[in-house]
Amino acid sequence: MQVGLIGYPVGHSISPAFQQAAFDAVGLDVHYHLWETPPEQLADIVSRLRQPDYLGANVTIPHKQAIVRFLDEIDSVARLIGAVNTIVREEGRLLGYNTDVEGFVRALEHDGGVTIAGRRIVVLGAGGAARAVVAAVLLGDPADLALCARRPEQAKALLADLTRAGLANTEDQSQVLPLDATSQSCKQAVQVADVVVNTTPVGMLHHATEGMLPIPADWLGVGQLVYDLIYNPAETPLLRAAKDRGARALNGLPMLVYQGASAFERWTGRAAPLKIMTKRAREALGG
Ligand code: NAP
């Protein structure tokens, strides 16, 4: 059987490494491919997935939103976010899911030791990953959510989209604040937060901001969990600063593995071998 990652570009993804390890570990004869797909080839690759030899696919940048219109059914969470990262072929029909929400929450609870309910949460950034994170937070009934973005209009549009898609109380539970080092409102929100989530690429390896932090280190303090969605490097400058200031730190690797594990379970109906997937993901990152 075949399964793979649809994206453009896909060359740097570590999904093939840990997904192939998972199929091999449970003894399934499945090959996980990298399907480098320019936008004009999206329709073709989706129609190929309808053939009996295919389990489905993962979907990544830039196709998570564009792929929705080619599928037969979209589950409620993916519909809320307007983005699909997992396709499952079932009796010739293509079903779309978004397992980023589940991956984010599972890592927060299991590896971060924090549940969303009643917590004060700050999310930095308002791009694609923030969409799943903000939906997950609002579905989890937080005490409040501050969304700090360098373009506040992007954050407002994200919240408006979630409201339109049917997420209740979006506006009551959340506020949009400017993200910059001089923003007193974002600073105050971060200082009183239980959880600070970075969804910006600031601090990512090989990014223009490598070595930098999305917020000043002295905004962070004891008792907080700082959750950076970046997984390369394993310890970003933000996470190093969090530890130095007595906060706890969680990187993006558990979320990446859990979203993949959830996809694996939907394709196969089998429990994902999490330990093997995590080990292989770390190895693929060179750690
Ligand atoms: P994206 O759609 O490009 O969104 C990035 C967001 O960060 C945008 O709001 C962007 O604002 C903002 N931003 C970019 N550079 C900034 C800067 N220098 N200062 C302040 N804000 C800045 O990217 P994405 O797909 O959401 O991915 C973001 C990060 O999350 C990446 O590092 C990615 O690897 C990681 N990620 C991890 C997982 C996981 O499973 N662990 C899953 C998804 C993503 P503008 O629009 O103004 O540029």
Side-chain angles (χ1 to χ4, degrees), residues 75-157:
D75 99 318
S76 56
V77 172
R79 189 173 296 285
L80 190 64
I81 300 163
V84 160
N85 77 338
T86 300
I87 301 172
V88 179
R89 191 183 61 80
E90 223 175 84
E91 292 166 5
R93 287 166 54 76
L94 297 180
L95 317 181
Y97 297 93
N98 191 304
T99 65
D100 285 334
V101 170
E102 197 180 319
F104 170 78
V105 174
R106 191 167 173 188
L108 179 65
E109 292 181 351
H110 188 265
D111 300 75
V114 175
T115 47
I116 293 165
R119 305 289 182 177
R120 297 179 147 196
I121 308 216
V122 171
V123 175
L124 310 174
R131 229 158 242 277
V133 169
V134 168
V137 169
L138 290 173
L139 286 167
D141 199 22
D144 60 64
L145 165 66
L147 187 46
C148 299
R150 68 174 172 184
R151 289 187 298 121
E153 70 277 14
Q154 184 188 38
K156 285 183 186 147

Side-chain angles (χ1 to χ4, degrees), residues 61 126-129 150-151 154 199-202 204 229-230 252 255-256:
I61 289 170
R150 68 174 172 184
R151 289 187 298 121
Q154 184 188 38
T199 75
T200 79
V202 177
M204 194 164 74
L229 262 51
I230 294 170
M255 173 176 168
L256 182 75

Side-chain angles (χ1 to χ4, degrees), residues 7-47:
Y8 190 67
V10 288
H12 295 295
S13 172
I14 63 167
S15 288
F18 69 77
Q19 291 287 11
Q20 192 61 57
F23 289 117
D24 295 347
V26 301
L28 287 174
D29 185 15
V30 176
H31 187 75
Y32 192 101
H33 301 267
L34 276 178
W35 290 321
E36 179 113 352
T37 310
E40 64 277 12
Q41 289 173 18
L42 197 53
D44 287 349
I45 188 108
V46 178
S47 58

Side-chain angles (χ1 to χ4, degrees), residues 203-269:
M204 194 164 74
L205 204 68
H206 307 311
H207 191 260
T209 59
E210 182 177 344
M212 293 164 68
L213 290 87
I215 51 172
D218 63 6
W219 291 8
L220 304 170
V222 175
Q224 296 183 312
L225 174 71
V226 179
Y227 182 176
D228 199 333
L229 262 51
I230 294 170
Y231 44 83
N232 203 9
E235 186 176 79
T236 59
L238 179 69
L239 294 184
R240 165 62 62 87
K243 286 183 191 166
D244 288 348
R245 297 190 54 83
R248 289 181 307 119
L250 175 64
N251 73 20
L253 192 66
M255 173 176 168
L256 182 75
V257 171
Y258 292 142
Q259 65 75 30
S262 170
F264 178 93
E265 287 169 1
R266 288 172 199 275
W267 293 323
T268 64

